[in-house]
Amino acid sequence: MDAPSHARTTPPGNFHSIRDTTICKREDAELLVCSEGLLATSWLALHSEEIDVLMVDGDYLGEIEDTIDFCLRVRRASPALPVILVSSEMRADDFTCERMQACDVTLKSPISEVRLKNAIRAARQNNAFFLSRQQNQISRQNFAS
């Protein structure tokens, strides 16, 4: 996992910061946790360039429909932000682009450090593929016009 190359972001009021996990200390990373309410997609759209990867805890969000709706809102607000969806409801990890409309990678919880590192790498690659497909669709639409 690459260390962030940007200044620290000031999160919305319903977030708190965690820097005491082993992986966060080693990577000089900051983990932001939403303690209540939902992440404001307007805030996310403004600050997405300051975030390396967004990890969504599907178990915290509750029903699968709520989780998918949340991921779709994030994708619309910040398409260039790699998204990892973590849930105990997943059958297995999925590092493919099957769910690219909502997220870049899914992980079955609990997760290990090795699987998380692989997920981050895959999420970045899958997100780049998602963006290239999105750009190709826009180009085709413009050409057809």
Side-chain angles (χ1 to χ4, degrees):
M1 210 166 24
D2 298 330
S5 59
H6 45 67
R8 297 275 183 237
T9 297
T10 303
N14 63 334
F15 275 71
H16 63 276
S17 176
I18 299 175
R19 290 190 50 83
D20 61 350
T21 63
T22 303
I23 193 167
C24 287
K25 283 182 181 176
R26 186 174 55 251
E27 300 297 332
D28 189 31
E30 186 169 19
L31 175 63
L32 301 178
V33 178
C34 183
S35 56
E36 59 186 55
L38 291 176
L39 174 64
T41 52
S42 58
W43 179 88
L44 186 60
L46 289 172
H47 296 282
S48 62
E49 290 184 8
E50 302 165 26
I51 302 169
D52 296 311
V53 176
L54 180 68
M55 189 162 48
V56 175
D57 183 348
D59 296 335
Y60 175 80
L61 291 174
E63 299 293 324
I64 191 67
E65 292 85 5
D66 296 332
T67 301
I68 298 302
D69 288 347
F70 175 78
C71 289
L72 290 171
R73 283 195 313 272
V74 168
R75 183 63 92 201
R76 282 191 297 273
S78 304
L81 178 61
V83 176
I84 299 173
L85 173 59
V86 180
S87 175
S88 62
E89 299 295 317
M90 298 294 164
R91 285 186 295 275
D93 296 346
D94 185 352
F95 291 8
T96 69
C97 294
E98 285 294 314
R99 298 178 176 103
M100 80 167 92
Q101 294 304 315
C103 63
D104 299 296
V105 166
T106 55
L107 288 176
K108 179 170 179 61
S109 62
I111 59 174
S112 68
E113 185 175 333
V114 170
R115 289 172 44 233
L116 178 58
K117 284 184 177 183
N118 290 336
I120 290 169
R121 187 175 306 117
R124 288 176 171 159
Q125 291 170 348
N126 291 353
N127 186 260
F129 178 71
F130 170 77
L131 292 174
S132 70
R133 283 190 49 150
Q134 192 177 46
Q135 186 60 41
N136 287 341
Q137 288 174 346
I138 291 169
S139 297
R140 276 186 257 140
Q141 289 171 351
N142 289 341
F143 182 74
S145 298

